[in-house]
Amino acid sequence: TVQIDRGRLETFIRGKRVLVTGGGGSIGSEICIRAVAFGASDLMILESSEPSLHHILENPTLLSSDTNVDGVIADVRDRERVREVMGEFRPDVVFHAAALKHVPYLERNWTEGVKTNVFGSVNVADAAVEAGAGAIVMISTDKAIDPVSMLGVTKRLAEMYGQALDAEFMGRNGATRIIAVRFGNVLGSVGSVVPKFKAQIARGGPITVTHPDMVRYFMTTREAADLVLTSASHADAEGRVLAEGSNEDERASVYVLKMGQPVRIYELAERMIRLAGYEPGEDIEINVTGTRPGERLHEILFAREEPRAEIGIDGVMAAKPVFADRARVDQWLAILARAVAGGDRSAAERVFEDAVPEFKRRRQHLPPAAPVQQARLASK
């Protein structure tokens, strides 16, 4: 567990207007709660799910706070709607937590992952800049490094768009800072293994593990949210200034949370069975089901070519960006939009391979991708 500098976060958040996309999700809702705890003057929760929005707006911490809390139903894919919400609210800080994040679903429904994780992020970043936000924080993932999945590569391209924007604004007084924060698995979040294992144990087993050597990083939701806020506080203060002698392209715009020691999932299953009062292999079986498309055995937090930078804050490191310029990124996005419109996965993957050369290595992890019928969005 990392000790959080509460004074730093209160100084950063107090009196600010904070907007959180995906504010009803596991990470988004915790960011909302922490923003209120650290004294935000106003909080706007942007959420595409009506039940999720209702649930977070009824949270006792939000209801009993002095913060003016409001929420809107909006989808980050809807560019004009996002611009409208941002323009009316005029946030000081934006936390972009809205995403599609489940690896197997995105392997099958790749167009939806691109629409939300790539173009949704573009929409949020552009709207935040237009509305004059001081900083926007994109919630990313350790799966964005040497990506082998649609989740990882869509998140990486969103990071690259943010880096290109951030570099473009370098040197402009008071310009929006655009950063990404990467971390691994969050204990208890929707779809994570801990609640899944707990439910499987309650049913008498078996627990299902995809591979006996699968290893993952974990942290609590509270710790992740506080370190996201900490990263934002650095980016909007010390992170605006280049160290003496640094090149202009060396300003850190990717922050990586120190995730502690990785956990072997099979051992986690054994420990949870024993904590429930049973014996693995006797009372509760553990079945190995095989890795799924897009999965890898070990997660990593930095790309090989990314220079790491200590920023003097416990629990957080930074990576100096490796990115393309804005014109190149815009070119990739234009081709990607056509690929999505035509349901052409091969064309989309060529874009990703061009933008993120490491993505070519996924073939040693994944079977050939089957053609996918483009999902039809229901009219709303």
Side-chain angles (χ1 to χ4, degrees):
T1 302
V2 175
Q3 281 296 112
I4 300 299
D5 185 344
R6 291 187 61 89
R8 179 187 185 94
L9 296 189
E10 286 175 355
T11 300
F12 174 59
I13 292 292
R14 184 165 302 283
K16 284 194 169 66
R17 300 172 65 80
V18 177
L19 185 146
V20 183
T21 73
S26 306
I27 292 295
S29 60
E30 189 66 29
I31 290 173
C32 291
I33 290 166
R34 302 308 280 161
V36 162
F38 292 122
S41 64
D42 297 84
L43 171 65
M44 175 60 72
I45 304 169
L46 188 153
E47 178 58 68
S48 64
S49 165
E50 184 181 47
S52 296
L53 180 62
H54 175 75
H55 187 260
I56 183 61
L57 287 174
E58 291 298 308
N59 183 282
T61 302
L62 270 58
L63 290 173
S64 62
S65 74
D66 294 329
T67 302
N68 298 313
V69 179
D70 200 359
V72 292
I73 297 174
D75 194 322
V76 294
R77 298 176 175 193
D78 187 337
R79 187 172 177 84
E80 289 309 312
R81 174 66 171 147
V82 171
R83 285 185 66 206
E84 175 191 337
V85 172
M86 292 266 195
E88 289 180 1
F89 183 68
R90 295 284 169 182
D92 297 308
V93 186
V94 175
F95 294 95
H96 175 42
L100 296 176
K101 66 172 189 173
H102 292 284
V103 169
Y105 298 161
L106 295 194
E107 290 306 306
R108 294 195 301 269
N109 304 284
W110 67 273
T111 56
E112 304 309 297
V114 173
K115 290 173 189 174
T116 296
N117 295 353
V118 177
F119 292 108
S121 298
V122 169
N123 293 342
V124 171
D126 288 351
V129 169
E130 186 179 321
I136 169 172
V137 182
M138 296 181 173
I139 306 300
S140 192
T141 170
D142 53 7
K143 294 173 177 62
I145 301 310
D146 287 354
V148 298
S149 64
M150 276 293 166
L151 168 61
V153 80
T154 54
K155 285 287 195 175
R156 182 65 180 277
L157 194 58
E159 284 184 8
M160 292 172 75
Y161 183 76
Q163 290 169 350
L165 269 187
D166 191 67
E168 187 178 315
F169 299 151
M170 176 88 76
R172 296 187 197 174
N173 197 23
T176 307
R177 283 237 57 197
I178 303 103
I179 68 164
V181 181
R182 292 181 198 141
F183 50 92
N185 299 274
V186 174
L187 287 167
S189 65
V190 175
S192 79
V193 295
V194 172
K196 179 182 177 181
F197 286 175
K198 190 174 178 181
Q200 289 175 333
I201 292 168
R203 291 198 303 266
I207 278 185
T208 54
V209 176
T210 60
H211 193 285
D213 298 323
M214 187 77 69
V215 171
R216 291 292 181 266
Y217 293 94
F218 287 96
M219 68 189 341
T220 66
T221 315
R222 173 66 53 85
E223 192 173 19
D226 281 350
L227 289 176
V228 167
L229 266 63
T230 299
S231 302
S233 72
H234 180 272
D236 201 29
E238 305 100 307
R240 287 187 176 273
V241 182
L242 285 169
E244 190 173 342
S246 296
N247 297 321
E248 283 201 355
D249 61 353
E250 287 187 339
R251 183 168 69 169
S253 61
V254 175
Y255 290 76
V256 183
L257 307 191
K258 296 178 184 177
M259 297 292 294
Q261 295 301 312
V263 176
R264 188 165 164 251
I265 301 301
Y266 196 93
E267 291 176 359
L268 175 64
E270 290 178 322
R271 291 186 67 180
M272 287 187 65
I273 291 170
R274 291 194 176 102
L275 284 170
Y278 302 107
E279 190 60 32
E282 294 179 14
D283 305 311
I284 304 283
E285 294 292 334
I286 301 176
N287 290 348
V288 176
T289 58
T291 54
R292 299 170 295 183
E295 283 188 326
R296 59 185 172 198
L297 296 186
H298 301 86
E299 299 294 1
I300 49 181
L301 297 177
F302 286 95
R304 277 183 285 274
E305 73 276 13
E306 281 183 320
R308 307 178 193 187
E310 285 283 359
I311 60 173
I313 296 177
D314 192 22
V316 182
M317 291 184 72
K320 295 173 182 178
V322 177
F323 61 90
D325 60 40
R326 175 74 180 278
R328 188 77 175 110
V329 175
D330 285 347
Q331 186 179 32
W332 286 326
L333 292 175
I335 300 169
L336 192 57
R338 292 195 294 272
V340 169
D344 188 344
R345 183 169 185 154
S346 295
E349 292 191 349
R350 284 195 297 272
V351 170
F352 289 133
E353 289 174 358
D354 192 18
V356 190
E358 310 95 86
F359 189 57
K360 293 175 184 174
R361 292 198 291 269
R362 77 193 181 288
R363 296 191 184 98
Q364 63 194 1
H365 299 268
L366 286 172
V372 176
Q373 185 81 27
Q374 187 186 4
R376 291 183 179 177
L377 292 175
S379 58
K380 296 178 182 179

